[in-house]
Amino acid sequence: MTIKHIIQRSTESLHLRILLLLVPCCLFLSSCSKEEVSFYDTENTSLNIWLGTAGIAVDSVIYNYSYSVDMGFLTFHARVAGMPVDRDRTFELEPFDGDIAQAEGSYFLRTYTIPAGEVQIQDTIFFDTSKLRNPSSFSTSDGRIYFRMKENTEFQTGAGERSQLKVVLKNYLAKPAEWDAATYPLMAYQGIFGEYSRVKYQFMIQVLGMMDFHINYRASQPYDEANNTVSYNYALYLANKLRQALDEYNATHSTPLTDETGTVVTF
């Protein structure tokens, strides 16, 4: 074999080894390229909406108008199925089924925003008991109202059960059994908060975030959350807190708070 042939065979062998090394590298680079396309894909812009917690969705939630004299709210969650982007994105909700006519005017929707760089938010729908067209609506039977996202250019509707919000509407408030009388060591509400009225009790729930609690003379701690029981001294503190809240309410409204009989509410 001549020197020329030896050089030629060596060169061919070198080229083959280089080619064998390049093939897996090319395959690796190709794989990386596909991963990047998938990771930065922003084409999927479905917006899922749900009630419950940030991590757990529930079929529906109850909104009881009776727990507020005027403004209350419920919380919902929204999450983009795709990736975050470098600009704010907005969406709106709309009612589409249920007792829309009865509830109309008593709920308030607005434009909601997914901030730049984010994919999930928690926000609110407000309700106003005083804006119910018929104050007795939903007091004898529950209502329903369903919300969904309005179609827009930013988002596609979420899939299945995460495409709507189901709210059960109630407007019923039971007078606490211990308002007028209670068996010792429990104490009646009347001795602390005065005469019962529906509006007064609504105001108490709105301010204190508590209902159907017990006042116990023997209680050793101010508030026992597990048994929903307060001490006598803590009940006096709550009454004072209610008087302050009522003063603030009356100062910011044209007329003082009155109950269902037209009597001015006092504590």
Side-chain angles (χ1 to χ4, degrees):
M1 180 181 293
T2 65
I3 294 177
K4 180 179 179 181
H5 286 150
I6 293 173
I7 294 174
Q8 183 177 354
R9 293 286 295 274
S10 297
T11 302
E12 289 174 352
S13 177
L14 178 61
H15 286 168
L16 180 60
R17 287 198 297 271
I18 292 173
L19 181 61
L20 291 174
L21 287 172
L22 285 176
V23 168
C25 288
C26 291
L27 291 173
F28 175 76
L29 290 173
S30 175
S31 174
C32 289
S33 177
K34 287 180 182 178
E35 285 296 323
E36 289 178 357
V37 170
S38 175
F39 186 78
Y40 292 105
D41 181 16
T42 59
E43 292 302 313
N44 185 359
T45 56
S46 297
L47 185 70
N48 294 316
I49 57 175
W50 71 94
L51 298 162
T53 66
I56 302 175
V58 296
D59 174 66
S60 64
V61 298
I62 295 172
Y63 184 81
N64 195 327
Y65 288 96
S66 289
Y67 293 171
S68 177
V69 171
D70 44 30
M71 192 70 76
F73 66 91
L74 61 80
T75 300
F76 74 93
H77 301 269
R79 180 181 176 86
V80 184
M83 299 299 296
V85 297
D86 59 359
R87 56 183 171 79
D88 291 351
R89 291 176 286 181
T90 61
F91 67 94
E92 295 179 351
L93 298 176
E94 63 179 355
F96 71 96
D97 197 7
D99 300 290
I100 298 173
Q102 271 187 283
E104 188 176 7
S106 68
Y107 58 85
F108 303 91
L109 305 169
R110 57 190 180 83
T111 299
Y112 303 97
T113 301
I114 306 286
E118 301 292 335
V119 294
Q120 184 166 330
I121 62 166
Q122 172 183 302
D123 220 309
T124 51
I125 299 173
F126 288 94
F127 292 81
D128 192 333
T129 307
S130 67
K131 297 295 191 298
L132 272 173
R133 293 179 177 180
N134 181 353
S136 64
S137 291
F138 316 119
S139 59
T140 57
S141 60
D142 295 348
R144 303 283 190 278
I145 189 165
Y146 298 80
F147 298 99
R148 66 186 175 194
M149 186 194 75
K150 281 186 180 180
E151 290 291 336
N152 64 25
T153 57
E154 291 284 7
F155 299 113
Q156 303 166 23
T157 303
E161 60 187 17
R162 296 209 174 189
S163 63
Q164 64 180 30
L165 309 174
K166 176 184 176 182
V167 182
V168 178
L169 302 173
K170 295 178 178 285
N171 192 16
Y172 176 76
L173 188 64
K175 179 181 178 179
E178 297 166 11
W179 192 288
D180 297 319
T183 304
Y184 186 82
L186 299 182
M187 179 181 181
Y189 281 40
Q190 187 174 19
I192 303 290
F193 306 112
E195 295 292 330
Y196 172 83
S197 75
R198 175 189 170 91
V199 173
K200 175 184 282 190
Y201 192 33
Q202 282 179 298
F203 189 78
M204 288 175 61
I205 295 171
Q206 181 175 329
V207 173
L208 304 178
M210 302 166 60
M211 61 184 299
D212 294 331
F213 55 88
H214 311 285
I215 305 171
N216 191 330
Y217 276 114
R218 293 179 176 174
S220 59
Q221 60 187 78
Y223 178 44
D224 179 357
E225 186 175 2
N227 296 306
N228 199 24
T229 300
V230 302
S231 68
Y232 173 70
N233 287 334
Y234 193 70
L236 293 177
Y237 160 77
L238 294 179
N240 187 57
K241 182 177 180 178
L242 288 166
R243 282 189 286 271
Q244 293 177 1
L246 184 60
D247 288 342
E248 292 174 4
Y249 178 95
N250 290 338
T252 56
H253 290 73
S254 57
T255 58
L257 181 64
T258 56
D259 65 21
E260 58 273 22
T261 68
T263 303
V264 174
V265 173
T266 60
F267 288 98

